[in-house]
Amino acid sequence: MNGAIGFGPALVIVLALLTLAGAGVVRFGGLGQGRAVLLAAVRAVAQLALVSLVITLILRSGWLTGLFVLLMFSIAAVTSASRIGVPRRIGWVALALASGVAPVLALVLASGVVPPEPITVVPIAGIVIGGTMTATSQSARRALDELAQRHGEYEAALALGFLPRLAALEICRPSAGQALIPALDQTRTVGLVTLPGAYVGLLLGGAGPIQAGIAQALVLIGLLAAEAVAVLTTVQLVAAGFIRRDEPVRRRWTFAWVPRRQPSGAAR
């Protein structure tokens, strides 16, 4: 039985209605700019169309597959650094991402659990990189915001004899750890509340329920491990000052007119 979703006018209409509904709720609900939802939807469709056109060529070569995974990782690092607000710290953000992604992918591929074939490497790597990117962005934003809002407590900890890194950790570590809540909830409730994308995709592709369940368990637990390591690394880098928001550059001149002071003895 073929359960694939077909392309047609109905699909286009449904996608357009969902996009407009999301943008309208965000705009009129005061949650942000509805334009961001529209742009995200358009980009998603365009990018998926492009990937669909080139994925067949990429999957024919191991070298091209490796380059494609590296491209995904690079885009994730740029996106995360931009979301955190530290574009000039992209190297440290990439390090945090790699600390979670690299060990997980190395383990599942070296152990033979995931066949080292392009058709399996690309989706597994994409899921792990994407989830780790989100966790890194959220943990860094929370940590930096907490340090900014509770700067007085940080100074008090320094006055008590804490080293700067340890003082920062006491402030930002608990809040940054909340970035793992989505992954924890998804793992705890899988099969009871949600049926994640890998499971549904395998079913639609013709795999049996048991095979789909095994693959989804591997993805969820691997993703949770990658996010945990990345969040820990991110918190340590924030506490050490390697990931930080730079002060805005001040202008060296001003266009404001300042009246010239007259000598004290000048006549009024």
Side-chain angles (χ1 to χ4, degrees):
M1 182 173 61
N2 185 8
I5 298 175
F7 176 78
L11 177 62
V12 175
I13 294 173
V14 169
L15 290 176
L17 289 176
L18 291 174
T19 302
L20 292 175
V25 169
V26 171
R27 170 66 177 85
F28 297 106
L31 303 177
Q33 295 183 350
R35 177 184 163 195
V37 177
L38 296 176
L39 291 177
V42 171
R43 283 190 57 174
V45 172
Q47 290 163 187
L48 286 173
L50 178 61
V51 169
S52 300
L53 292 175
V54 302
I55 195 69
T56 303
L57 175 63
I58 291 173
L59 295 182
R60 292 177 180 173
S61 168
W63 288 105
L64 290 177
T65 299
L67 290 175
F68 186 69
V69 172
L70 183 60
L71 175 63
M72 288 193 295
F73 179 84
S74 301
I75 295 174
V78 172
T79 302
S80 184
S82 176
R83 179 64 63 183
I84 297 168
V86 291
R88 286 187 286 180
R89 310 286 173 177
I90 186 174
W92 296 108
V93 174
L95 175 62
L97 283 171
S99 70
V101 172
V104 170
L105 292 183
L107 177 61
V108 298
L109 291 175
S111 64
V113 173
V114 173
E117 301 292 335
I119 193 64
T120 56
V121 170
V122 169
I124 294 293
I127 293 173
V128 174
I129 291 172
T132 307
M133 174 191 70
T134 302
T136 300
S137 300
Q138 290 295 325
S139 60
R141 285 175 61 91
R142 289 175 182 270
L144 292 172
D145 290 344
E146 200 75 2
L147 286 173
Q149 295 171 6
R150 300 171 59 185
H151 187 71
E153 296 180 41
Y154 171 76
E155 295 289 347
L158 293 180
L160 292 174
F162 281 77
L163 294 176
R165 186 179 67 85
L166 296 179
L169 283 175
E170 290 295 323
I171 301 297
C172 69
R173 183 162 44 190
S175 61
Q178 296 178 10
L180 292 174
I181 290 178
L184 287 170
D185 288 346
Q186 185 180 30
T187 305
R188 288 170 179 167
T189 61
V190 62
L192 300 177
V193 178
T194 61
L195 291 177
Y199 184 86
V200 176
L202 287 170
L203 288 180
L204 293 177
I210 295 179
Q211 183 181 4
I214 292 172
Q216 185 61 66
L218 174 64
V219 168
L220 283 176
I221 296 174
L223 181 58
L224 183 59
E227 290 188 18
V229 175
V231 168
L232 175 61
T233 305
T234 301
V235 172
Q236 294 292 335
L237 291 174
V238 170
F242 293 116
I243 296 179
R244 65 179 185 272
R245 295 187 179 119
D246 295 321
E247 293 294 332
V249 179
R250 297 181 179 179
R251 295 181 179 179
R252 296 182 179 179
W253 60 84
T254 178
F255 294 101
W257 177 76
V258 180
R260 182 180 300 177
R261 295 183 60 183
Q262 295 182 351
S264 57
R268 296 182 180 271

